[in-house]
Amino acid sequence: LTDSAPALSALPAPTLAPTLRPGDLLYVPRGSLHVASTPERSPSLHLTIGALSKSFAYAIVAFHLADTPWFKDVLYSAGWSVDKFRRALMGRADKKDEGVDLRRSLPMGWTAGEEGLVAVSLKLQELLRPVLEQAPLPPNNFNIPSEALKPVVEVFERHISKVVTELRNLTESLTRAESPKVVVIP
């Protein structure tokens, strides 16, 4: 800990305090504040597995947004097909400097409520304006209503559900405990 780290007493009270047995797994999502401890002289293993989160980046939201009726209307009015937009989008996302923000991870919990949807829609507006300026008839006023992201949220939630299922299946295959427990922090 550095001198700038807050004292544990300054942090909020835990919302979950599970007791794990040998073979159990505790999944803590990226960015979640957590503290772990073991009884004295008890061995413990803390394993962090990282995964590239390009599949949960702004460019991927825009990619899926292109399939929605609302955004297809925007694209067709701009003289573009979904395919041409996606090529321009991914071309920009692949550029070292210009694409860095399109490759950034989405904020945690963005699918959980209106506040997250509004934040992502505002950021997408900013990121997609330069892409749409390449269209034959660029839109003058380009605003993404948060409601337009709801079909994309459904896609992301299906992907997240699959990841959680795969994580549980992997955990079950890796543990040898008689009845392993998987605790998932929301």
Side-chain angles (χ1 to χ4, degrees):
L1 293 177
T2 65
D3 292 335
S4 63
L8 286 179
S9 60
L11 300 175
T15 57
L16 180 68
T19 300
L20 303 177
R21 299 180 324 267
D24 289 347
L25 171 84
L26 174 64
Y27 169 70
V28 181
R30 173 184 63 90
S32 297
L33 182 62
H34 63 283
V35 176
S37 64
T38 60
E40 278 189 44
R41 298 182 184 197
S42 293
S44 174
L45 173 65
H46 176 140
L47 176 64
T48 300
I49 300 173
L52 293 176
S53 60
K54 287 184 180 179
S55 59
F56 296 103
Y58 284 95
I60 302 303
V61 171
F63 188 90
H64 288 291
L65 183 63
D67 272 334
T68 65
W70 173 83
F71 200 67
K72 283 181 180 178
D73 287 344
V74 170
L75 294 176
Y76 298 151
S77 296
W80 257 356
S81 66
V82 170
D83 181 60
K84 285 190 180 187
F85 165 75
R86 285 179 169 167
R87 287 179 194 210
L89 169 71
M90 296 322 243
R92 185 168 180 90
D94 284 343
K95 291 184 179 176
K96 181 180 178 186
D97 295 325
E98 295 166 356
V100 70
D101 286 335
L102 283 165
R103 296 188 305 269
R104 289 198 194 284
S105 294
L106 295 156
M108 285 189 57
W110 76 276
T111 63
E114 189 63 24
E115 186 177 320
L117 291 176
V118 169
V120 168
S121 67
L122 290 172
K123 185 66 175 176
L124 272 179
Q125 286 170 198
E126 171 192 331
L127 296 174
L128 295 183
R129 279 190 183 106
V131 177
L132 290 170
E133 286 172 2
Q134 300 172 45
L137 304 166
N140 291 329
N141 293 321
F142 176 66
N143 296 305
I144 301 173
S146 59
E147 187 70 26
L149 293 177
K150 296 215 172 167
V152 178
V153 167
E154 291 173 9
V155 171
F156 272 69
E157 287 176 342
R158 281 194 306 271
H159 285 286
I160 290 167
S161 178
K162 286 180 185 177
V163 168
V164 169
T165 299
E166 289 173 9
L167 179 62
R168 285 192 171 125
N169 291 340
L170 177 64
T171 301
E172 289 172 11
S173 70
L174 292 176
T175 63
R176 295 196 175 138
E178 291 178 19
S179 57
K181 175 173 59 175
V182 177
V183 179
V184 177
I185 297 177

